[in-house]
Amino acid sequence: MDAWVGKLGKPERRRAVPRAVRVAGRVLLTVVGLSVVCFGFVLFVGAYETAGAYLGAPVCGSPEAGAGVDCVRQESGRVTRKYESGGDSTSYMLTVARETEPGDSYSVSRSFYRDVEVGTSVDLKVYRGAVVRLAHRGHEDEQRAIPVPAVVEVALLVSGGTAVALHGLRAPARGRRWRPTLMAVPTVVATLLGSSLLIVYQWSFAATLTVSVVGWLIAVFAGAAVVDS
């Protein structure tokens, strides 16, 4: 009877998880995390190519612009307003009325701004209904909008996938398991800023992809250092 009571009083020992199971779990986390990151990169490449599609598009009316092909249409616009906005960093804005659409405001360089007045005619290039370039007397300014929904989705996928992959790669101790997740916060911010700039500046595809991958690798190594510290 005493022996039976003694057995009841002893805390039950937790069974150790077999090493093979632990390794398989880490591999699964790593593969899932990297797959999510890769999907984020695929979306980023799509957003990059969509934003710069007009650069390689044919001019409307040219032999290359066949039926159903997106083309760049040339229009004439008229400046209806010019104004400056911003505090420390001044933005020079022109409101331009188009031939076929209501007027809208566009950011231009300082020299462009100074060389036009209200009533000045400017040349416009339009792609898929949006003005992509303003030109006047040798001045040219691109108008590239940041695809915010796509950029946010890319940032969440890349940062989330990186955090999951770090859990698999580094297998942090129980008291440190929150660290890979915490590293997702600066990764989100860096990805939002970096992808936005790369999409707007439209460097060559090779340069854009190289910068993106190097930036991600820096985030991975920084996250691993935080987990191991």
Side-chain angles (χ1 to χ4, degrees):
M1 183 70 177
D2 290 340
W4 182 70
V5 172
K7 285 182 181 178
L8 283 179
K10 286 183 180 179
E12 221 178 281
R13 246 179 151 184
R14 180 176 293 178
R15 292 184 180 180
V17 179
R19 178 178 175 79
V21 175
R22 293 200 305 270
V23 171
R26 291 181 59 180
V27 170
L28 180 61
L29 284 173
T30 303
V31 170
V32 170
L34 293 179
S35 298
V36 173
V37 170
C38 288
F39 184 55
F41 269 90
V42 169
L43 291 183
F44 166 72
V45 170
Y48 163 83
E49 291 180 341
T50 299
Y54 74 93
L55 295 172
V59 176
C60 295
S62 66
E64 295 82 6
V69 175
D70 289 325
C71 57
V72 176
R73 187 173 70 255
Q74 297 181 338
E75 291 184 6
S76 177
R78 184 173 59 85
V79 177
T80 57
R81 183 189 175 200
K82 53 183 295 189
Y83 61 96
E84 299 178 15
S85 66
D88 298 333
S89 179
T90 303
S91 296
Y92 300 94
M93 307 297 297
L94 297 179
T95 301
V96 179
R98 293 170 53 185
E99 296 173 352
T100 57
E101 299 287 339
D104 204 351
S105 294
Y106 306 96
S107 177
V108 297
S109 64
R110 185 179 181 183
S111 58
F112 195 134
Y113 181 84
R114 289 186 167 184
D115 203 26
V116 299
E117 299 296 337
V118 173
T120 300
S121 293
V122 294
D123 298 320
L124 308 177
K125 288 189 176 181
V126 181
Y127 182 71
R128 293 177 179 173
V131 173
V132 294
R133 182 178 297 170
L134 282 77
H136 177 70
R137 291 184 181 176
H139 303 291
E140 284 193 357
D141 276 296
E142 308 286 339
Q143 304 296 317
R144 295 173 181 151
I146 298 174
V148 177
V151 168
V152 170
E153 192 172 2
V154 168
L156 292 176
L157 287 170
V158 171
S159 58
T162 302
V164 173
L166 281 173
H167 274 287
L169 289 169
R170 310 310 296 177
R174 185 172 300 177
R176 299 178 180 177
R177 288 178 184 170
W178 53 270
R179 293 187 178 185
T181 305
L182 181 64
M183 283 303 298
V185 176
T187 306
V188 164
V189 176
T191 307
L192 282 171
L193 294 175
S195 57
S196 298
L197 291 174
L198 290 172
I199 288 172
V200 168
Y201 284 115
Q202 285 291 308
W203 294 341
S204 68
F205 178 75
T208 299
L209 194 59
T210 300
V211 171
S212 303
V213 172
V214 170
W216 176 72
L217 288 175
I218 291 173
V220 170
F221 284 113
V226 170
V227 171
D228 294 341
S229 62

